Amino acid sequence: AIVNETMISVANKVIVLADYTKLGQRRLVTMSPVGKVSLLITDEKAPKKIVGLLKKKGVKVEIASRKSTVESYSMSEYKFE
């Protein structure tokens, strides 16, 4: 947990990849406070209510689908410095 906290504290961007089963769950260990997350990539089953709350907090949310292809995503909009 300390390693994760340290990495997040010095990161320019925090990107979270989590399927719908991980959203809205209370855990003993939190990977990152919502305010630190820049981008969440999740799946089509993500609860709309939780996605909406995250967006209100300023988190960009991308929904991946089985129909998605590499060509359908453009990383150029994400500035990694």
Side-chain angles (χ1 to χ4, degrees):
I2 292 173
V3 172
N4 288 336
E5 289 174 14
T6 303
M7 288 189 304
I8 289 167
S9 71
V10 299
N12 291 328
K13 302 270 185 196
V14 176
I15 300 173
V16 175
L17 177 63
D19 73 359
Y20 77 99
T21 64
K22 306 299 185 283
L23 303 178
Q25 300 297 314
R26 293 204 179 265
R27 304 281 184 213
L28 293 175
V29 177
T30 301
M31 294 303 293
S32 173
V34 171
K36 293 278 190 175
V37 177
S38 307
L39 171 65
L40 167 67
I41 302 171
T42 190
D43 61 283
E44 296 171 322
K45 293 183 181 180
K48 292 183 185 349
K49 181 179 179 180
I50 293 173
V51 168
L53 291 171
L54 290 169
K55 286 181 177 180
K56 278 187 176 180
K57 295 274 187 178
V59 177
K60 181 167 178 54
V61 179
E62 293 281 346
I63 306 295
S65 73
R66 291 178 175 231
K67 298 174 190 172
S68 299
T69 64
V70 173
E71 293 80 25
S72 67
Y73 290 97
S74 171
M75 292 305 289
S76 63
E77 68 182 279
Y78 305 107
K79 304 292 184 215
F80 299 101
E81 300 167 1

